[in-house]
Amino acid sequence: MTGANPAQTAGPRDPPERGMTTDDQTPAEAPPAPMPPAGLALRPRGDSAVLELSGALTVHEVTQLQARLERLEHPPEAIDLSGLERIDTAGAWALLALERARAAEGTTLRLEGASAETTLLLDHVRRALPEPEEPPRRERGLTAMLERTGRSVAAGAAFLLDLLGYFGLFLARLGRTLRHPREFRMTALVAHAEEVGYRAVPIVGLMAFLIGVVLAFQGSAQLRQFGAEVFVVDLIAISVLRELGILLTAIIVAGRTASAFTAAIGSMKMREEIDAMRTLGLDPATVLFVPRILALLIMLPILGLIANVMGLFGGALMSWIELGISPSMFRTRLLEGTDVSHVVVGLVKAPVFALIIGVVGCHAGMQVQGNAESLGRMTSQAVVTAIFAVIVADALFSIFFAQVGL
């Protein structure tokens, strides 16, 4: 009888020992032990308190460290870092923030026992922390007030000269396009005319209609006391045709168009499209300024005429309802008591207002820097400047026409 095969007669194999694999019986790699969290311990050192940190101080333990620090009755005077086994930039920032907070309170916090790696990390984070900017000291007194006033006047004069330079640039590029008609961009002119003129008709017409209604209502309430209700027609006609029609139209257009010009040109400057235009040999003033300002020059007088018509219509309607002045009587009184010079005085202002709005909007767009904050600031500044300049120009026109007898 042959002997049994040892492989068949042997019993089940013994299980491998702990830490050994079943294939090659080599020790298995044990997973790394988790780093203990940052621990806090206070130990007295005379009259002071030293805070000992041990374990790991990373982004996961920063919140725990700050919470435990807030629960301490007395803030530590020193922190012992000799027990730290690991620290990252978040932990270093927490320690340095605590150090800065104590320095702001007039005390010092010492970081002791740090290893060479921890010291190097703390130095890197300390250099990267932003330094708090101290607000500029505002000097008082007559000399400081005169200096601020002088600087404001000088800045205003420089701003006016800059606007005058942009106006001259527009005139130069307009003259060039007249000498070289092929360089004129008719498509851009039509598009901008539609945007600044045609799309503004509803709001301008509604505004002028309501202004006429208000003038008729308020005028009738006052003139009825003297039995002079019929003179409300003269009040509406002179106010709308001479002043309010074109002035309020220019204010609305300034709010719409100056902001649109600034936003469009400023966005192109932020995306470096204007630099690309110069690289391609295109003049930004010819391509961007001339069509926009010329569209305003053409459309603002038309909008002024629409505002005049709608203002008279609103005044006539309210006069009919409130005073019983029929439309035929209103028309008769309007033609007899209103001279055509009032219409001329109102419409003469329109090109000047258009130039002011267009130049201010294009100038503000070119002042935009490479960030959205600058775009928003310059857009708001363009609207405010355009409206203020329009009102000042209207006041100067009123003084001028009063002096010449118109």
Side-chain angles (χ1 to χ4, degrees):
M1 184 174 182
T2 59
N5 190 352
Q8 298 176 353
T9 59
R13 299 177 62 183
D14 295 334
E17 297 180 1
R18 181 181 299 273
M20 303 291 291
T21 61
T22 58
D23 295 334
D24 50 5
Q25 302 296 322
T26 57
E29 295 182 359
M35 191 70 67
L40 296 178
L42 277 173
R43 61 181 178 84
R45 182 185 293 174
D47 296 333
S48 63
V50 176
L51 184 64
E52 293 183 347
L53 294 182
S54 60
L57 182 58
T58 63
V59 66
H60 304 288
E61 290 82 24
V62 167
T63 304
Q64 175 192 1
L65 173 65
Q66 293 176 342
R68 297 185 66 178
L69 286 174
E70 292 176 356
R71 291 197 296 266
L72 294 177
E73 296 182 0
H74 301 287
E77 298 181 1
I79 297 180
D80 187 2
L81 307 178
S82 58
L84 279 181
E85 301 180 13
R86 186 174 62 179
I87 184 173
D88 62 359
T89 54
W93 169 83
L95 294 175
L96 294 177
L98 179 61
E99 184 183 43
R100 279 195 172 188
R102 296 295 301 278
E105 296 173 356
T107 58
T108 58
L109 177 67
R110 302 187 305 275
L111 302 178
E112 303 175 348
S115 62
E117 293 80 3
T118 303
T119 303
L120 183 62
L121 179 61
L122 289 173
D123 292 339
H124 279 294
V125 175
R126 185 180 285 109
R127 287 193 298 267
L129 288 177
E131 295 293 334
E133 296 182 1
E134 297 183 359
R137 183 179 179 182
R138 187 179 180 87
E139 298 182 359
R140 301 180 180 275
L142 180 61
T143 303
M145 184 183 67
L146 293 176
E147 180 184 359
R148 289 193 296 269
T149 304
R151 291 182 181 276
S152 300
V153 172
F159 177 72
L160 291 178
L161 289 176
D162 207 8
L163 289 180
L164 187 61
Y166 271 75
F167 174 66
L169 182 62
F170 162 72
L171 293 180
R173 296 299 183 268
L174 180 61
R176 178 179 175 180
T177 55
L178 293 177
R179 293 194 307 268
H180 304 86
R182 292 185 177 181
E183 297 183 3
F184 187 72
R185 299 179 177 272
M186 182 59 69
T187 304
L189 175 64
V190 174
H192 291 304
E194 178 186 3
E195 183 64 31
V196 304
Y198 178 75
R199 297 183 183 277
V201 168
I203 183 64
V204 169
L206 178 61
M207 175 273 306
F209 175 81
L210 295 177
I211 289 297
V213 169
V214 171
L215 284 175
F217 183 78
Q218 297 294 335
S220 64
Q222 299 300 321
L223 294 176
R224 186 183 288 113
Q225 302 175 12
F226 307 98
E229 295 92 338
V230 71
F231 289 104
V232 74
V233 180
D234 303 72
L235 172 64
I236 296 171
I238 295 176
S239 300
V240 171
L241 297 178
R242 191 180 183 96
E243 291 292 338
L244 295 181
I246 190 62
L247 176 61
L248 295 179
T249 300
I251 290 176
I252 290 178
V253 171
R256 291 182 73 257
T257 307
S259 59
F261 286 1
T262 304
I265 297 176
S267 299
M268 295 177 66
K269 190 174 181 184
M270 288 175 57
R271 295 191 296 264
E272 300 181 354
E273 294 180 16
I274 295 180
D275 295 334
M277 292 171 58
R278 292 192 178 100
T279 303
L280 295 174
L282 300 175
D283 183 22
T286 303
V287 177
L288 301 178
F289 300 169
V290 173
R292 286 175 166 83
I293 301 177
L294 196 57
L296 269 177
L297 281 171
I298 296 173
M299 298 307 299
L300 191 58
I302 300 175
L303 291 175
L305 284 174
I306 295 174
N308 291 341
V309 173
M310 293 301 297
L312 294 177
F313 177 71
L317 183 62
M318 194 62 192
S319 299
W320 190 13
I321 296 173
E322 185 69 18
L323 299 176
I325 300 176
S326 63
S328 59
M329 185 184 298
F330 187 94
R331 184 185 62 222
T332 302
R333 182 62 187 175
L334 176 65
L335 296 177
E336 291 178 354
T338 305
D339 192 78
V340 72
S341 61
H342 298 306
V343 181
V344 174
V345 167
L347 293 182
V348 162
K349 305 174 185 178
V352 179
F353 293 165
L355 286 174
I356 291 174
I357 296 170
V359 170
V360 168
C362 294
H363 170 266
M366 294 298 292
Q367 306 306 312
V368 173
Q369 305 299 322
N371 53 74
E373 180 183 0
S374 174
L375 179 62
R377 183 177 64 253
M378 295 310 301
T379 301
S380 302
Q381 181 177 336
V383 174
V384 174
T385 304
I387 293 177
F388 178 76
V390 164
I391 295 175
V392 171
D394 184 74
L396 295 178
F397 270 117
S398 299
I399 296 173
F400 172 76
F401 289 129
Q403 292 295 324
V404 299
L406 287 178

